[in-house]
Amino acid sequence: MSNWDLMMPGMGLTAIGLAGLTLSYAGIAHTFIDGMHALTGLTMFVGLIFLAAGILDGGISTSNRAKATTLVILSIALGFGMFALTMNTSNYTITIAGILMGIAFPAIIIAYLSMKHPTVVKPIGAIVSMAAATGIIMWISFGIFASPDTYMIPQQIGIEEPEEDLTPSGPIFAIEILAESAQEGNPDYQPDVSIVPQGYVIEWTNADTAAHTVTSAVDFGETFDSSLINPGEVYTLDTSDLEIGEYEYLCIVHPWMVATIVIEAPKEPTKITIPRGAAIPEEGQIFYDPEVLNISVGTTILWDNADNTMHTATSGSPDSGADGVFDSDILSAGDTYEFTFANAGSYDYYCILHPWMIGTVNVE
């Protein structure tokens, strides 16, 4: 009789492994980190080993329980197999199915012969092993060491087309993945709710020591998915392709990290003018117009250099220097610079070329 102490865990591991393998390749959970495919595949094969050992222990059973077990396993395999072949988006499904059949058919034949003709099991097993070894040797030999020279293969000469620049362009809206956010309960994304005008580029910077992701929650990454963002790396998302509305996102590695972006209709930026004569430190001269501006979080400021000389709009002060929050670089006459204020606070700024030019933006 079959050994049910081996067959039961074998059935469970096989089902779990097959389900995980199918989900990993089906596009439903494509944000699983590297190694999930191998782990679920290994679980399935371990389950098959336990299952085979349980069935063959004491001979193949023909009891009703053994038949029911076989029917359950076939149902699971066919159900997930049909889903994997028809509904997934992977290019490797057929290859995996071929490998599984290449393993399964010899195993079925050997198992059948061990029951009906046990005397021929060893020769058949030896033939299968030699055939597998010969195939591997031939593949390595002719595929790597003895491949045909390139002159035997027709070479197609194509015209190289210039690579298209796919770098997102537009005003930057900065979001930070905070340090120690991998620990449950700690603050994670800053700001937690981001109101972003459509057309802006959202830039997530991972300031933590652990890897994270930025993954749309409702559809498991179909709308946007950063994959793994290693410490110090940046992920950008062009909101021009997003519809106006609210998008909740999370870290697939640490699913308690949840935040929201709200895409709003584009707004005209609030304008600060650098007037003519701003480079001259005269009494009563206006350097930035207005010099003090009160705005709300998410507002975009546009600095317009209407002077006939170069200026900058650099966050910080002449005494302490630039603080790195924003910097227009050199603005020639007629140039503009935009920056979106994502966090509340008071931001002083100045012109590094004419340090007497000082302005303030208060964000509430």
Side-chain angles (χ1 to χ4, degrees):
M1 294 295 291
S2 302
N3 189 333
W4 288 93
D5 292 334
L6 291 174
M7 290 180 63
M8 294 305 291
M11 285 188 290
L13 290 172
T14 301
I16 293 171
L18 186 58
L21 191 64
T22 302
L23 290 175
S24 297
Y25 279 99
I28 295 176
H30 60 80
T31 52
F32 275 128
I33 58 176
D34 293 340
M36 181 60 72
H37 307 142
L39 179 61
T40 53
L42 181 62
T43 302
M44 182 183 67
F45 283 118
V46 170
L48 290 173
I49 291 171
F50 273 93
L51 189 58
I55 292 174
L56 295 175
D57 186 20
I60 298 177
S61 175
T62 57
S63 65
N64 290 332
R65 289 197 301 176
K67 293 177 181 178
T69 302
T70 303
L71 183 61
V72 169
I73 296 169
L74 287 176
S75 300
I76 295 172
L78 289 174
F80 280 102
M82 289 300 296
F83 177 83
L85 287 173
T86 58
M87 301 296 290
N88 80 88
T89 57
S90 172
N91 296 325
Y92 303 103
T93 306
I94 301 300
T95 302
I96 294 173
I99 293 173
L100 292 176
M101 286 189 290
I103 295 172
F105 286 151
I108 293 171
I109 292 171
I110 293 173
Y112 177 79
L113 291 174
S114 66
M115 179 181 67
K116 296 294 185 179
H117 306 284
T119 56
V120 301
V121 170
K122 290 183 178 180
I124 293 295
I127 293 171
V128 171
S129 299
M130 287 188 291
T134 302
I136 294 172
I137 293 171
M138 295 290 285
W139 176 272
I140 295 174
S141 299
F142 287 98
I144 299 177
F145 300 113
S147 58
D149 294 333
T150 55
Y151 72 85
M152 298 177 62
I153 303 173
Q155 300 294 314
Q156 294 184 350
I157 301 176
I159 300 175
E160 293 186 1
E161 297 182 358
E163 293 185 0
E164 183 180 357
D165 186 8
L166 300 178
T167 305
S169 60
I172 299 296
F173 188 99
I175 299 177
E176 184 177 15
I177 303 175
L178 299 175
E180 300 183 359
S181 57
Q183 184 175 346
E184 188 170 0
N186 284 350
D188 38 49
Y189 300 100
Q190 178 63 37
D192 192 60
V193 177
S194 303
I195 301 174
V196 186
Q198 191 179 47
Y200 276 61
V201 175
I202 305 177
E203 186 176 88
W204 283 269
T205 301
N206 185 4
D208 197 9
T209 56
H212 296 284
T213 78
V214 173
T215 306
S216 56
V218 68
D219 52 11
F220 301 101
E222 289 298 328
T223 303
F224 56 88
D225 180 23
S226 65
S227 299
L228 286 179
I229 310 173
N230 292 315
E233 290 185 346
V234 173
Y235 168 64
T236 57
L237 174 67
D238 190 348
T239 61
S240 301
D241 300 327
L242 295 180
E243 296 181 358
I244 295 171
E246 185 173 307
Y247 297 85
E248 187 178 79
Y249 64 92
L250 52 79
C251 173
I252 202 72
V253 184
H254 311 97
W256 52 85
M257 295 174 56
V258 180
T260 304
I261 56 174
V262 180
I263 306 300
E264 290 188 333
K267 298 178 180 178
E268 289 294 327
T270 302
K271 189 175 181 180
I272 296 177
T273 302
I274 303 174
R276 281 184 173 272
I280 303 173
E282 294 181 343
E283 185 177 352
Q285 173 65 47
I286 297 176
F287 303 118
Y288 294 102
D289 186 15
E291 292 182 343
V292 178
L293 180 63
N294 299 317
I295 61 172
S296 58
V297 171
T299 301
T300 298
I301 300 297
L302 181 143
W303 282 268
D304 181 13
N305 185 8
D307 200 3
N308 55 9
T309 188
M310 295 182 293
H311 294 284
T312 77
T314 305
S315 61
S317 67
D319 295 331
S320 58
D323 59 16
V325 176
F326 61 87
D327 185 11
S328 66
D329 292 328
I330 300 297
L331 295 174
S332 298
D335 286 351
T336 61
Y337 167 67
E338 291 186 12
F339 181 78
T340 300
F341 289 85
N343 300 308
S346 181
Y347 299 87
D348 295 327
Y349 65 94
Y350 68 108
C351 173
I352 61 175
L353 302 177
H354 313 99
W356 53 86
M357 297 174 56
I358 297 173
T360 302
V361 177
N362 296 315
V363 185
E364 299 177 350

